Amino acid sequence: MKIFSRSFMVLTFLSFSFSGAQEVIENNQSDFGEFMDRTGNRYRAASGHPGPGYWQNETDYQIEATLNDEDHRISGNITLTYTNNSPQDLEFIWMHLEQNRFTEDSRGTLTTPIGGNRYNGDTDGGYEISNLEAKVKRSTSSEYLITDTRMQVFFDEPIPANGGKATVSMDFSYKIPVEGMDRMGRLEVEDGTIYAMAQWFPKAAVFDDIEGWNIEPYLGAGEFYLDYGDYDYKITAPYDHIVVASGELQNPRQVLSSTMRERMEMASKSDTTVFIIKPEEVNDMSIRAKQEGTLTWHFKMENARDVAFGSSSAFIWDAARINLADGDQAMAQSAYPKESAGPDAWGRSTEYSKYSVEHYSDKWFKYPYPVAVNVAADIGGMEYPGLNFCGWQAEGESLWGVTDHEFGHNWFPMIVGTNERRYAWMDEGFNTFINHYSSLEFNDGEYGSNFDETRRLVSWFNSSTREGIDTYPDVTNLRNLGMTAYYKPAIGLLLLREYILGHERFDNAFKSYIETWAYKHPQPKDFFNHMENVAGESLSWFWKGWFYGTGNIDISLDGVQRRQGNYVITVSNKGDIPMPVELKLMYEDGTTENLRLPVEIWQRGDTWSHLLETEKTLESVELDPEKILPDVNFSNDSWPTNVYKE
């Protein structure tokens, strides 16, 4: 090694510095650098795993409720046991009273446009709360404060940190709305009323290490964020009602006739649909367990974040076995009126439900619940652990799509418990993504999916009114919600799997994310960190551009020139988001070759030239040959220009 003198090195450095002093070299480091604080702490590690001090609280529920189908009211008593695993004592807890949305002066009512929207709700409801007792050890308090859809319950002494417990009990009653914001409500059909019961009891809010108490009001578009716990609940309904619910039925001998129990047993062993109540038996009371009075249906659900149920005298009821990957089984069930029946409509609901759950269980994470129930209601589609409400008039591909989507929600957010009220994209978008693959595979592609044809949505990406994925759902313009919460984040995952990381690396990381955060509360940064650490790829440029921005992709194939018998291919990034570059090279002899340029070509600037060394004659070049990228300008994607058109 030649040794230079210190003075020579200093002079050389200074001469280079001054000679270029008039010219500042710009680069794209800001596109690739960190855009949010993703540093780790004792609660959430930088690897995207829960940290050594991670905690979350638990709420267990015991509920007894009675459904009155004459005045359309539900009344009951609830006792919740709250476990405070946080590192601080709690002098109170916050609870959600979502039925208070259905009043004239609720925040949700007052923020609904004059013309209405999907989240319309009745205004003659709301909770009646009485006999509240809040206990910690031997102390009892009856003090509480209701503000809109939230209730603050105070204790005479704090709930101790690190495992302290409290119980809160109260009686509740309210009128069941007809219009329940497309999430719950009631529907009149010829043979009775269908009650779709969700957000039907007071429940504890989440206290976490990010926000403390998560107490955003229930307005409309924002959904839910709940702790996990065990549910033991009883629903007393008229004798002629069938009640289907989240969780396992505990007393079939008391509520099902011997004929119905025999059919249920047959269904538990059948891969094809078996009727529990046939269409012609809906009004045949001889098949019911009782012919007068009421029946009390008892259900249990473990380690869940919510429960829901459907109740009606109009239900046709059928079921089939669900086969899980490790040999375990669950039960697919459908409940619907005769208006929804038929081989092209709800007669296939259980078939759809069974396939959907089996697919996601095999591909991503095992289904944890004993039942998967699909209920026909006057609701476009809404999900709860182990139970959906789907449109009673849906049929064919539409019924498959909504059934598959709502059951997909059992993975996001029922298993992976994200904050839907803030980050709709972490459940709606992730679910829309996994729906694409289930639809491709169902019944050998009977309905298929064109979701990977991302350029169909370019007009929205070019819209001046578009909004970012990170916009909270209650803030988002409802005309944009389908894109910001569903399609754009789902396309983001599609790009990661099909274009950026590839199937193996993506699947390893995504499955690991689900398993790591199952029954926990991940934040966006936990997802970003986890995907990067498991996939082994720095993706800040992608998270920033796609998930936290409104910029677009526009990669341009600028031209091809001959150089000393070879070719120089020049590409540029005319958009806002850098991307790896996939090129298909076609030669005069009819052969083709794929060329991939890494995303790092854009770190120093927006133009890149690649030397293609070949003895063949290059005839044409096509950018993104599989058309995975939602590139907003396809006119510059080929050489010679416009050889390939959309």
Side-chain angles (χ1 to χ4, degrees):
M1 177 185 294
K2 185 174 182 180
I3 306 298
F4 293 92
S5 70
R6 178 180 177 88
S7 59
F8 177 81
M9 293 180 66
V10 170
L11 289 171
T12 302
F13 171 77
L14 291 174
S15 65
F16 282 133
S17 300
F18 285 118
S19 64
Q22 303 301 315
E23 182 178 337
V24 177
I25 300 176
E26 295 184 358
N27 59 46
N28 290 329
Q29 180 173 314
S30 61
D31 291 340
F32 289 82
E34 297 294 344
F35 68 100
M36 63 186 300
D37 182 7
R38 290 196 277 148
T39 55
N41 55 48
R42 66 187 305 266
Y43 303 124
R44 298 168 189 271
S47 64
H49 284 71
Y54 178 82
W55 56 269
Q56 65 188 47
N57 293 343
E58 179 179 339
T59 313
D60 302 315
Y61 295 86
Q62 288 187 311
I63 311 171
E64 294 187 8
T66 299
L67 176 64
N68 186 325
D69 66 347
E70 293 183 0
D71 60 6
H72 305 300
R73 292 188 70 85
I74 187 167
S75 302
N77 173 268
I78 180 172
T79 299
L80 63 89
T81 300
Y82 189 87
T83 303
N84 176 23
N85 294 316
S86 80
Q88 69 180 75
D89 296 347
L90 297 178
E91 297 176 349
F92 56 81
I93 66 170
W94 280 96
M95 298 186 66
H96 295 295
L97 299 180
E98 279 128 354
Q99 288 298 317
N100 282 355
R101 165 62 175 80
F102 305 111
T103 61
E104 290 184 350
D105 59 352
S106 73
R107 295 190 187 187
T109 298
L110 296 175
T111 55
T112 299
I114 293 175
N117 56 37
R118 174 185 173 183
Y119 304 107
N120 287 341
D122 290 0
T123 58
D124 59 349
Y127 272 110
E128 297 174 10
I129 301 293
S130 60
N131 300 321
L132 184 140
E133 290 187 343
K135 298 181 179 180
V136 175
K137 299 178 181 177
R138 296 183 179 181
S139 69
T140 301
S141 169
S142 60
E143 184 182 358
Y144 64 92
L145 178 64
I146 294 177
T147 304
D148 194 51
T149 58
R150 292 81 51 84
M151 177 168 66
Q152 191 174 21
V153 178
F154 299 92
F155 300 98
D156 278 350
E157 60 179 285
I159 312 173
N162 303 315
K165 294 182 181 294
T167 61
V168 177
S169 63
M170 71 190 80
D171 295 329
F172 66 91
S173 178
Y174 57 87
K175 182 180 179 182
I176 301 166
V178 174
E179 287 195 73
M181 297 173 61
D182 205 24
R183 295 207 169 99
M184 56 91 62
R186 62 183 202 261
L187 168 68
E188 296 295 332
V189 293
E190 183 175 332
D191 293 321
T193 304
I194 295 175
Y195 295 92
M197 299 303 298
Q199 289 79 59
W200 62 277
F201 59 93
K203 60 192 72 170
V206 172
F207 182 76
D208 64 20
D209 61 291
I210 303 296
E211 294 291 331
W213 286 107
N214 289 259
I215 51 172
E216 287 91 350
Y218 182 39
L219 299 178
E223 293 187 351
F224 311 105
Y225 184 36
L226 300 165
D227 276 323
Y228 291 88
D230 297 336
Y231 293 78
D232 186 331
Y233 64 109
K234 298 176 181 179
I235 307 298
T236 298
Y239 74 95
D240 58 349
H241 275 220
I242 295 299
V243 178
V244 290
S246 303
E248 186 172 4
L249 180 64
Q250 300 297 297
N251 61 338
R253 298 189 67 85
Q254 284 69 50
V255 296
L256 304 180
S257 66
S258 59
T259 299
M260 295 166 71
R261 295 198 306 272
E262 288 172 5
R263 293 175 179 176
M264 189 66 78
E265 179 66 19
M266 291 174 56
S268 71
K269 300 175 182 177
S270 174
D271 287 323
T272 57
T273 301
V274 174
F275 280 111
I276 313 304
I277 295 180
K278 300 176 183 178
E280 63 270 21
E281 295 173 332
V282 169
N283 294 311
D284 182 0
M285 292 303 104
S286 68
I287 199 175
R288 305 302 177 97
K290 287 178 67 176
Q291 282 71 48
E292 62 180 357
T294 61
L295 284 170
T296 297
W297 300 67
H298 184 192
F299 299 92
K300 286 186 178 181
M301 187 76 151
E302 295 180 350
N303 200 22
R305 54 178 260 163
D306 201 358
V307 290
F309 71 92
S311 183
S312 183
S313 60
F315 280 154
I316 300 166
W317 193 12
D318 62 38
R321 174 179 64 189
I322 294 173
N323 302 299
L324 303 177
D326 59 0
D328 285 349
Q329 297 175 355
M331 180 78 79
Q333 300 178 24
S334 297
Y336 50 96
K338 65 184 182 184
E339 290 89 342
S340 304
D344 297 323
W346 276 78
R348 295 188 70 184
S349 167
T350 291
E351 174 195 355
Y352 296 159
S353 304
K354 169 182 165 65
Y355 182 85
S356 181
V357 171
E358 289 177 347
H359 170 87
Y360 298 129
S361 184
D362 180 63
K363 190 171 184 65
W364 303 114
F365 188 87
K366 180 183 173 183
Y367 186 71
Y369 308 127
V371 295
V373 186
N374 206 20
V375 182
D378 192 17
I379 295 167
M382 190 61 200
E383 73 283 353
Y384 299 92
L387 183 142
N388 303 331
F389 299 121
C390 292
W392 65 291
Q393 295 178 312
E395 57 185 35
E397 185 175 1
S398 174
L399 181 58
W400 156 257
V402 68
T403 299
D404 182 54
H405 180 80
E406 304 311 335
F407 275 123
H409 272 305
N410 281 278
W411 282 261
F412 309 100
M414 305 309 165
I415 294 173
V416 182
T418 52
N419 185 345
E420 299 176 89
R421 197 153 291 179
R422 289 192 170 198
Y423 310 117
W425 60 272
M426 294 185 76
D427 66 288
E428 298 294 0
F430 289 20
N431 184 28
T432 301
F433 165 73
I434 64 175
N435 298 158
H436 167 64
Y437 297 98
S438 60
S439 293
L440 287 176
E441 295 185 16
F442 171 67
N443 205 19
D444 295 324
E446 178 179 355
Y447 298 124
S449 172
N450 62 359
F451 183 74
D452 55 352
E453 297 173 11
T454 62
R455 300 189 182 190
R456 294 181 301 110
L457 302 172
V458 161
S459 60
W460 185 86
F461 290 122
N462 280 323
S463 168
S464 61
T465 61
R466 66 187 184 274
E467 295 173 278
I469 289 172
D470 58 321
T471 311
Y472 290 175
D474 281 320
V475 178
T476 304
N477 185 317
L478 288 181
R479 289 175 293 182
N480 286 331
L481 189 62
M483 286 298 301
T484 61
Y486 295 74
Y487 291 107
K488 190 179 180 186
I491 290 173
L493 297 190
L494 183 82
L495 295 179
L496 282 174
R497 189 174 194 262
E498 303 294 341
Y499 192 88
I500 297 170
L501 296 176
H503 290 189
E504 187 173 9
R505 293 171 71 199
F506 177 89
D507 290 356
N508 286 342
F510 199 54
K511 289 178 183 179
S512 177
Y513 167 72
I514 298 171
E515 182 177 1
T516 298
W517 287 98
Y519 315 110
K520 296 182 178 67
H521 294 314
Q523 296 288 314
K525 72 171 187 177
D526 300 315
F527 172 68
F528 298 152
N529 285 343
H530 199 95
M531 293 297 291
E532 289 190 9
N533 276 267
V534 179
E537 192 78 26
S538 176
L539 295 166
S540 289
W541 55 273
F542 184 62
W543 309 132
K544 177 183 179 181
W546 192 258
F547 285 84
Y548 279 73
T550 56
N552 285 319
I553 297 171
D554 181 12
I555 306 299
S556 172
L557 179 54
D558 292 342
V560 178
Q561 294 180 326
R562 294 299 299 262
R563 177 180 292 181
Q564 298 177 351
N566 296 307
Y567 296 89
V568 173
I569 302 172
T570 301
V571 292
S572 64
N573 181 14
K574 297 184 181 299
D576 309 288
I577 305 173
M579 276 284 160
V581 176
E582 293 279 354
L583 297 171
K584 183 177 182 180
L585 313 178
M586 285 147 280
Y587 297 100
E588 190 177 52
D589 62 4
T591 61
T592 63
E593 178 184 357
N594 290 329
L595 171 65
R596 180 179 176 90
L597 302 177
V599 71
E600 287 81 6
I601 64 174
W602 308 119
Q603 287 187 139
R604 297 189 186 91
D606 295 329
T607 301
W608 184 260
S609 294
H610 174 78
L611 178 63
L612 174 67
E613 297 181 294
T614 180
E615 296 180 356
K616 298 181 180 181
T617 299
L618 187 63
E619 189 172 75
S620 60
V621 181
E622 182 181 4
L623 192 150
D624 184 24
E626 301 299 323
K627 300 297 178 283
I628 299 296
L629 295 180
D631 193 308
V632 296
N633 180 9
F634 358 112
S635 66
N636 56 20
D637 286 359
S638 61
W639 173 86
T641 304
N642 294 328
V643 170
Y644 300 93
K645 298 180 179 180
E646 293 296 307

